[in-house]
Each structure stands twice: as C-alpha cells, then as structure tokens.
Amino acid sequence: MHNEKSDLRSRLLTRRRARSAEGRAEAARALAGHAGELAGPGATVAAYVSVGAEPGTRPLLDALRAAGARVLLPVLLPDNDLDWAEYAGPEALAPAGRGLLEPVGPRLGPEAVTAASLVLLPGLAVDRAGLRLGRGGGSYDRVLARLERAGVRPVLAVLLYEDEVLDRVPDEPHDRPVDLAVTPAGVRRLG
C-alpha cells in the first residue's frame, strides 16, 4: 500500500513538473473562474498559496476575495501543523521556509479553520469516491481531524489538474473523503 501510494505520488509529480509555464498559468486563470461557484459574500474559505507545479491558486485567492469571501491562509508551524491568517492581497504575502509564501497578518490560531464553510485542500489526485492523495506531509490530515473534533462539516474541495481525477486512489483507514474536485474544467461532486 505504502509503495503503491509513493509510486503514484512520484508519477503525478513528474507529470506536473512537465507542464509548461503557459499551461500552468492558463490552468490558474481557469481555476479562478470557478470562485463564484465556490463561495460568495460573507463566506470564510480556508485556502492555500500554491507552490511549484501545483495548480496555481494566486488568481483564485484574489477572485474569492473579490467575490466577498474572507480567505484564510495557512502558516506552517514547526511541528507541521497549520496556523491561519487572513489573506489581505498579494502584497501581504511574505516568503517563508520551504519555498512557501505566508500571509503577514495576525495569526489566528490552528482552530481558526473551524470557522470555514469551504476548505480548499492541496493534493496530487482524487478518485471518484472522494479519496484524496496528499503529498504525505500530514498537515492537512491534522486539519481534517481538527474539523472533525470540532464537529463542523465544511465543504472539502481539492484543487487539481483535470487528469488527476482518477478512478481509484489507494486509501488508508484514516483517509477522509472530500466533496469536490476543482479543476480548470469545472467543479465536480465526488462520492
């Protein structure tokens, strides 16, 4: 199982890195076009700043703000857990470790995510049942566990390229399914 996951991870990462800068920029613009479908005025969205070859979230973050949503972004803690701060625009992002960009605003605490009605998750793939293949860092497993402990059930959406919605992803007992796959082509219900 573990090997199956890591083989799939490396295949997907290789495919991502092979995408042209142009193709990536186009995908990021297309993702931003779905903002209105994902959240409206007054919604709180927990999102993230994409890195490397991940589907680009920067235009989407601005589109969500323009739609009137409050956008929370993660701040990686030393133990790999996530704190959160409000996104105040591209000029309010600062470089952090591991090539990440983090919001400069006041830290709201790891529990802040429990106020979100929509949580956007990074991932490498998802299957039709909603099982997400993450990068294996575990940060978002903690976020999902925290939401569960708080008894809240925001909509969970994973941002992917179109060819990363697979028939099946290897799963483990602790994996929690997500509700939506958001790709440049559109928003898809899973499960």
Side-chain angles (χ1 to χ4, degrees):
M1 167 60 64
H2 186 66
N3 287 354
E4 195 186 348
K5 263 193 176 177
S6 49
D7 290 352
L8 183 56
R9 265 193 196 109
S10 57
R11 275 208 310 280
L12 291 162
L13 284 167
T14 302
R15 195 158 71 190
R16 271 188 182 180
R17 283 192 289 265
R19 289 177 188 275
S20 70
E22 218 166 286
R24 287 179 200 178
E26 205 173 300
R29 281 194 300 273
L31 285 173
H34 307 317
E37 223 178 312
L38 293 170
T44 294
V45 180
Y48 62 95
V49 183
S50 53
V51 292
E54 285 182 336
T57 62
R58 301 281 291 274
L60 175 62
L61 298 177
D62 292 327
L64 288 166
R65 271 186 81 213
R70 172 177 182 240
V71 179
L72 301 179
L73 293 178
V75 177
L76 190 65
L77 297 171
D79 65 355
N80 267 354
D81 204 346
L82 299 176
D83 196 340
W84 300 86
E86 200 163 330
Y87 176 57
E91 64 293 336
L93 292 175
R98 300 194 201 176
L100 300 173
L101 283 173
E102 291 182 344
V104 295
R107 305 300 186 236
L108 305 172
E111 298 301 320
V113 70
T114 61
S117 53
L118 170 69
V119 179
L120 299 179
L121 305 162
L124 291 172
V126 74
D127 66 16
R128 297 179 196 297
L131 290 168
R132 176 185 76 100
L133 179 69
R135 277 179 169 269
S139 296
Y140 278 90
D141 291 331
R142 295 203 206 178
V143 169
L144 296 174
R146 181 167 288 125
L147 294 170
E148 204 161 276
R149 280 197 306 276
V152 293
R153 188 70 187 84
V155 173
L156 303 176
V158 59
L159 299 179
L160 298 167
Y161 295 106
E162 197 54 38
D163 57 7
E164 294 170 341
V165 180
L166 309 176
D167 287 328
R168 200 190 135 267
V169 161
D171 63 310
E172 288 168 42
H174 69 263
D175 291 338
R176 291 172 181 77
V178 300
D179 306 297
L180 304 175
V182 183
T183 71
V187 178
R188 223 182 296 186
R189 274 215 166 273
L190 304 166

